[in-house]
Structures are given as C-alpha cells and as structure tokens.
Coordinates of all heavy atoms in Angstrom, one line a residue:
V1 N 25.7 -66.4 -11.7 CA 25.6 -65.5 -10.5 C 25.5 -64.1 -11.1 O 26.1 -63.8 -12.2 CB 26.8 -65.6 -9.6 CG1 26.9 -66.9 -8.9 CG2 28.1 -65.3 -10.2
R2 N 24.9 -63.2 -10.4 CA 24.8 -61.8 -10.8 C 26.1 -61.1 -10.5 O 26.7 -61.3 -9.4 CB 23.6 -61.1 -10.1 CG 22.3 -61.6 -10.5 CD 21.2 -60.8 -9.9 NE 21.2 -59.4 -10.2 CZ 20.5 -58.4 -9.7 NH1 19.7 -58.7 -8.7 NH2 20.6 -57.1 -10.0
N3 N 26.6 -60.3 -11.4 CA 27.9 -59.6 -11.2 C 27.7 -58.4 -10.3 O 27.8 -57.2 -10.7 CB 28.5 -59.2 -12.6 CG 29.9 -58.7 -12.4 OD1 30.6 -59.0 -11.5 ND2 30.3 -57.9 -13.4
V4 N 27.5 -58.7 -9.0 CA 27.4 -57.6 -8.0 C 28.6 -56.9 -7.8 O 28.6 -55.6 -7.7 CB 26.8 -58.2 -6.7 CG1 26.6 -57.1 -5.7 CG2 25.5 -58.9 -6.9
A5 N 29.8 -57.6 -7.7 CA 31.1 -56.9 -7.5 C 32.1 -57.8 -8.2 O 31.9 -59.0 -8.5 CB 31.4 -56.8 -6.0
F6 N 33.3 -57.2 -8.4 CA 34.3 -58.0 -9.0 C 34.9 -59.1 -8.2 O 35.0 -60.3 -8.7 CB 35.5 -57.0 -9.4 CG 36.6 -57.7 -10.1 CD1 36.6 -58.1 -11.5 CD2 37.8 -58.1 -9.4 CE1 37.6 -58.7 -12.1 CE2 38.9 -58.7 -10.0 CZ 38.8 -59.0 -11.4
E7 N 35.1 -58.9 -6.9 CA 35.6 -59.9 -6.0 C 34.4 -60.8 -5.6 O 33.4 -60.3 -4.9 CB 36.3 -59.3 -4.8 CG 37.6 -58.6 -5.2 CD 38.7 -59.5 -5.6 OE1 38.6 -60.7 -5.3 OE2 39.6 -59.0 -6.3
K8 N 34.5 -62.0 -5.9 CA 33.4 -63.0 -5.5 C 33.9 -64.4 -5.4 O 35.0 -64.7 -5.9 CB 32.3 -62.9 -6.6 CG 32.7 -63.3 -8.0 CD 31.6 -63.3 -9.0 CE 31.1 -61.9 -9.3 NZ 32.1 -61.0 -10.1
Q9 N 33.2 -65.2 -4.7 CA 33.6 -66.6 -4.5 C 32.3 -67.5 -4.7 O 31.3 -67.2 -4.0 CB 34.2 -66.8 -3.2 CG 34.7 -68.2 -3.0 CD 35.5 -68.4 -1.7 OE1 35.7 -67.4 -0.9 NE2 35.9 -69.6 -1.4
V10 N 32.4 -68.5 -5.5 CA 31.3 -69.4 -5.7 C 31.8 -70.8 -5.4 O 32.9 -71.2 -5.8 CB 30.8 -69.4 -7.2 CG1 29.7 -70.3 -7.4 CG2 30.4 -67.9 -7.6
S11 N 31.0 -71.5 -4.6 CA 31.4 -72.9 -4.2 C 30.2 -73.8 -4.2 O 29.0 -73.3 -4.3 CB 32.1 -72.9 -2.9 OG 31.2 -72.4 -1.9
V12 N 30.4 -75.1 -4.1 CA 29.3 -76.1 -4.1 C 29.5 -77.0 -2.8 O 30.6 -77.5 -2.7 CB 29.3 -76.9 -5.3 CG1 28.2 -78.0 -5.3 CG2 29.1 -76.1 -6.6
R13 N 28.5 -77.1 -2.0 CA 28.6 -77.9 -0.8 C 27.7 -79.2 -1.1 O 26.6 -79.0 -1.5 CB 28.1 -77.2 0.4 CG 28.2 -77.9 1.7 CD 27.8 -77.0 2.8 NE 28.8 -76.0 3.0 CZ 28.7 -75.0 4.0 NH1 27.7 -75.1 4.9 NH2 29.7 -74.1 4.1
Y14 N 28.3 -80.3 -0.9 CA 27.6 -81.6 -1.2 C 27.8 -82.7 -0.2 O 28.7 -82.6 0.7 CB 28.0 -82.1 -2.6 CG 29.5 -82.5 -2.7 CD1 29.9 -83.8 -2.7 CD2 30.5 -81.5 -2.8 CE1 31.3 -84.2 -2.8 CE2 31.8 -81.9 -3.0 CZ 32.2 -83.2 -2.9 OH 33.5 -83.5 -3.0
T15 N 27.0 -83.7 -0.2 CA 27.1 -84.8 0.8 C 26.6 -86.1 0.1 O 25.9 -86.1 -0.9 CB 26.2 -84.5 2.0 OG1 26.3 -85.6 2.9 CG2 24.7 -84.4 1.5
F16 N 27.1 -87.2 0.7 CA 26.8 -88.5 0.2 C 25.9 -89.3 1.2 O 25.4 -90.4 0.9 CB 28.0 -89.4 -0.1 CG 28.9 -88.8 -1.1 CD1 30.2 -88.4 -0.8 CD2 28.5 -88.7 -2.5 CE1 31.0 -87.8 -1.8 CE2 29.3 -88.2 -3.4 CZ 30.6 -87.7 -3.1
N17 N 25.7 -88.8 2.4 CA 25.0 -89.5 3.5 C 24.0 -88.6 4.2 O 24.0 -88.6 5.5 CB 26.0 -90.0 4.5 CG 27.0 -89.0 5.0 OD1 26.8 -87.8 4.7 ND2 28.1 -89.4 5.6
Q18 N 23.2 -87.9 3.5 CA 22.1 -87.1 4.0 C 22.6 -86.0 5.0 O 22.1 -85.8 6.1 CB 21.1 -88.0 4.7 CG 20.4 -89.0 3.8 CD 19.6 -88.3 2.7 OE1 19.0 -87.3 2.9 NE2 19.4 -89.0 1.6
W19 N 23.8 -85.4 4.7 CA 24.4 -84.3 5.5 C 24.9 -84.7 6.8 O 25.2 -83.9 7.7 CB 23.4 -83.1 5.7 CG 22.9 -82.6 4.3 CD1 21.6 -82.8 3.8 CD2 23.6 -81.8 3.4 NE1 21.6 -82.2 2.6 CE2 22.8 -81.6 2.3 CE3 24.9 -81.3 3.4 CZ2 23.1 -80.8 1.2 CZ3 25.3 -80.5 2.3 CH2 24.4 -80.3 1.2
K20 N 25.2 -86.0 7.0 CA 25.9 -86.4 8.2 C 27.4 -86.0 8.1 O 28.0 -85.7 9.2 CB 25.8 -88.0 8.3 CG 24.4 -88.5 8.6 CD 24.4 -90.0 8.7 CE 23.0 -90.5 8.9 NZ 23.0 -92.0 8.9
S21 N 27.9 -85.9 7.0 CA 29.2 -85.3 6.7 C 29.1 -84.6 5.3 O 28.2 -85.0 4.5 CB 30.3 -86.4 6.6 OG 30.1 -87.3 5.6
L22 N 29.9 -83.6 5.2 CA 29.7 -82.7 4.0 C 31.1 -82.4 3.4 O 32.1 -82.5 4.1 CB 28.9 -81.5 4.2 CG 29.4 -80.6 5.3 CD1 30.4 -79.6 4.9 CD2 28.1 -79.9 6.0
H23 N 31.1 -82.1 2.1 CA 32.3 -81.6 1.4 C 32.0 -80.4 0.6 O 30.9 -80.1 0.3 CB 32.8 -82.7 0.5 CG 32.9 -84.1 1.1 ND1 34.0 -84.5 1.8 CD2 32.0 -85.1 1.2 CE1 33.8 -85.8 2.2 NE2 32.6 -86.1 1.9
E24 N 33.0 -79.6 0.3 CA 32.8 -78.4 -0.4 C 34.0 -78.2 -1.4 O 35.2 -78.4 -1.1 CB 32.7 -77.2 0.5 CG 32.3 -75.9 -0.2 CD 31.9 -74.9 0.8 OE1 31.7 -75.2 2.1 OE2 31.6 -73.7 0.4
V25 N 33.6 -77.8 -2.6 CA 34.6 -77.5 -3.7 C 34.3 -76.1 -4.2 O 33.2 -75.6 -4.2 CB 34.6 -78.5 -4.8 CG1 34.9 -79.9 -4.3 CG2 33.2 -78.6 -5.5
C26 N 35.4 -75.5 -4.7 CA 35.3 -74.1 -5.2 C 35.0 -74.2 -6.7 O 35.5 -75.1 -7.4 CB 36.6 -73.4 -5.0 SG 36.9 -72.9 -3.3
A27 N 34.1 -73.3 -7.2 CA 33.8 -73.3 -8.6 C 34.8 -72.2 -9.3 O 35.3 -71.3 -8.6 CB 32.4 -72.9 -8.8
H28 N 35.0 -72.4 -10.5 CA 36.0 -71.6 -11.3 C 35.2 -70.7 -12.3 O 34.3 -71.2 -13.0 CB 37.1 -72.4 -11.9 CG 37.9 -73.2 -10.9 ND1 38.8 -72.7 -10.1 CD2 37.8 -74.5 -10.6 CE1 39.3 -73.7 -9.3 NE2 38.7 -74.8 -9.6
W29 N 35.7 -69.5 -12.5 CA 35.1 -68.6 -13.5 C 35.2 -69.2 -14.9 O 36.3 -69.6 -15.3 CB 35.7 -67.2 -13.4 CG 35.1 -66.2 -14.3 CD1 34.0 -65.5 -14.1 CD2 35.5 -65.9 -15.6 NE1 33.7 -64.7 -15.1 CE2 34.6 -64.9 -16.1 CE3 36.5 -66.3 -16.5 CZ2 34.7 -64.3 -17.4 CZ3 36.7 -65.7 -17.7 CH2 35.7 -64.7 -18.2
H30 N 34.1 -69.2 -15.6 CA 34.0 -69.9 -16.9 C 33.8 -68.8 -18.0 O 34.3 -69.0 -19.1 CB 32.9 -70.9 -17.0 CG 32.8 -71.7 -18.3 ND1 33.8 -72.5 -18.7 CD2 31.9 -71.6 -19.2 CE1 33.4 -73.1 -19.9 NE2 32.3 -72.5 -20.2
G31 N 33.0 -67.8 -17.8 CA 32.8 -66.8 -18.8 C 31.7 -65.8 -18.2 O 31.3 -65.9 -17.1
S32 N 31.4 -64.9 -19.1 CA 30.4 -63.8 -18.7 C 29.4 -63.7 -19.8 O 29.6 -63.9 -21.0 CB 31.1 -62.4 -18.5 OG 32.1 -62.5 -17.4
I33 N 28.1 -63.3 -19.4 CA 27.0 -63.0 -20.3 C 26.7 -61.5 -20.2 O 26.5 -61.0 -19.0 CB 25.8 -63.8 -19.9 CG1 26.1 -65.3 -19.9 CG2 24.6 -63.5 -20.8 CD1 25.0 -66.2 -19.5
P34 N 26.8 -60.7 -21.3 CA 26.6 -59.3 -21.2 C 25.2 -58.9 -20.7 O 24.3 -59.7 -20.6 CB 26.9 -58.8 -22.6 CG 26.6 -60.0 -23.5 CD 27.0 -61.2 -22.6
E35 N 25.1 -57.6 -20.4 CA 23.8 -57.1 -19.9 C 22.7 -57.3 -21.0 O 23.0 -57.2 -22.2 CB 23.9 -55.6 -19.6 CG 24.9 -55.3 -18.4 CD 25.0 -53.9 -18.2 OE1 24.3 -53.1 -18.7 OE2 25.8 -53.5 -17.3
K36 N 21.4 -57.6 -20.5 CA 20.4 -57.8 -21.4 C 19.1 -57.4 -20.8 O 18.8 -57.8 -19.6 CB 20.3 -59.3 -21.7 CG 19.3 -59.7 -22.8 CD 19.3 -61.2 -23.1 CE 18.3 -61.5 -24.1 NZ 18.3 -63.0 -24.5
N37 N 18.3 -56.6 -21.5 CA 17.0 -56.1 -21.0 C 17.1 -55.4 -19.7 O 16.3 -55.6 -18.7 CB 16.0 -57.2 -20.9 CG 15.7 -57.8 -22.2 OD1 15.8 -57.2 -23.3 ND2 15.4 -59.2 -22.2
G38 N 18.2 -54.6 -19.5 CA 18.4 -53.8 -18.3 C 18.9 -54.6 -17.1 O 19.0 -54.1 -16.0
Q39 N 19.1 -55.9 -17.2 CA 19.6 -56.8 -16.2 C 21.2 -56.6 -16.1 O 21.8 -56.3 -17.1 CB 19.2 -58.2 -16.4 CG 17.7 -58.4 -16.4 CD 17.4 -59.9 -16.6 OE1 18.2 -60.7 -16.9 NE2 16.1 -60.2 -16.6
D40 N 21.7 -56.9 -14.9 CA 23.1 -56.9 -14.7 C 23.8 -57.9 -15.5 O 23.3 -58.9 -16.0 CB 23.4 -57.0 -13.2 CG 22.9 -55.9 -12.4 OD1 22.6 -54.8 -13.0 OD2 22.6 -56.1 -11.2
Q41 N 25.2 -57.7 -15.6 CA 26.0 -58.7 -16.3 C 26.0 -60.0 -15.5 O 26.0 -60.0 -14.2 CB 27.4 -58.2 -16.5 CG 28.4 -59.2 -17.1 CD 29.8 -58.7 -17.3 OE1 30.0 -57.5 -17.1 NE2 30.7 -59.5 -17.5
I42 N 26.0 -61.2 -16.1 CA 26.0 -62.5 -15.5 C 27.3 -63.2 -15.6 O 27.9 -63.2 -16.7 CB 24.9 -63.4 -16.0 CG1 23.5 -62.6 -15.9 CG2 24.9 -64.7 -15.3 CD1 23.1 -62.3 -14.5
D43 N 27.9 -63.7 -14.5 CA 29.1 -64.5 -14.6 C 28.7 -66.0 -14.5 O 27.9 -66.4 -13.7 CB 30.1 -64.1 -13.4 CG 30.7 -62.8 -13.7 OD1 30.8 -62.4 -14.9 OD2 31.2 -62.1 -12.7
V44 N 29.4 -66.8 -15.2 CA 29.2 -68.2 -15.2 C 30.4 -68.9 -14.6 O 31.5 -68.7 -15.0 CB 28.9 -68.7 -16.7 CG1 28.7 -70.2 -16.7 CG2 27.8 -68.0 -17.3
F45 N 30.2 -69.8 -13.6 CA 31.2 -70.6 -13.0 C 30.9 -72.1 -13.2 O 29.8 -72.5 -13.3 CB 31.2 -70.3 -11.5 CG 31.8 -68.9 -11.1 CD1 31.0 -67.8 -11.3 CD2 33.0 -68.9 -10.5 CE1 31.5 -66.6 -10.9 CE2 33.6 -67.6 -10.2 CZ 32.8 -66.5 -10.4
S46 N 32.0 -72.8 -13.4 CA 31.9 -74.2 -13.6 C 32.5 -75.0 -12.3 O 33.4 -74.5 -11.7 CB 32.7 -74.7 -14.8 OG 34.1 -74.3 -14.7
F47 N 32.0 -76.2 -12.1 CA 32.4 -77.0 -10.9 C 32.5 -78.4 -11.3 O 31.9 -78.9 -12.3 CB 31.5 -76.8 -9.7 CG 30.1 -77.2 -9.9 CD1 29.7 -78.5 -9.6 CD2 29.1 -76.4 -10.5 CE1 28.4 -79.0 -9.8 CE2 27.8 -76.9 -10.7 CZ 27.5 -78.2 -10.4
F48 N 33.2 -79.2 -10.5 CA 33.3 -80.6 -10.6 C 33.2 -81.3 -9.3 O 34.0 -80.9 -8.4 CB 34.5 -81.1 -11.4 CG 34.7 -82.6 -11.4 CD1 34.0 -83.3 -12.3 CD2 35.7 -83.2 -10.6 CE1 34.1 -84.6 -12.4 CE2 35.8 -84.5 -10.7 CZ 35.1 -85.3 -11.6

C-alpha cells in the first residue's frame, strides 16, 4: 500500500461459496520500502 498517512488499516475479505457468506481478516504490518524514483514510501502488510 502507498504510505498516504501513518494511521492505516489493511484487511482481506474472502469467501468459500461465491460471496453467499464472507469473512474478513486484518493484515499486519510487515515492513517498508523506501522512496524510489519520486514515488511515495511503500508499506508491506502480511495476511493469513
């Protein structure tokens, strides 16, 4: 994700039955990628 602001929330929404029912889990901060070629800093989140 682009590091637009410090406070952020990343999650994953998934389903097993073609969206008849759904589940959602939160992703956790894993690391950061510094600025490159004038682009903003990138944050990396991991999920399970």
Side-chain angles (χ1 to χ4, degrees):
V1 298
R2 294 182 60 187
N3 188 20
V4 179
F6 179 78
E7 294 291 339
K8 59 178 68 71
Q9 184 177 356
V10 181
S11 59
V12 177
R13 184 172 294 181
Y14 63 103
T15 180
F16 300 113
N17 51 13
Q18 301 294 331
W19 302 107
K20 296 178 181 178
S21 61
L22 55 89
H23 310 272
E24 190 166 350
V25 296
C26 293
H28 303 281
W29 184 84
H30 182 72
S32 298
I33 302 176
E35 299 180 4
K36 185 178 180 181
N37 297 329
Q39 298 179 356
D40 298 334
Q41 179 180 344
I42 304 300
D43 286 338
V44 182
F45 286 76
S46 61
F47 65 92
F48 175 75

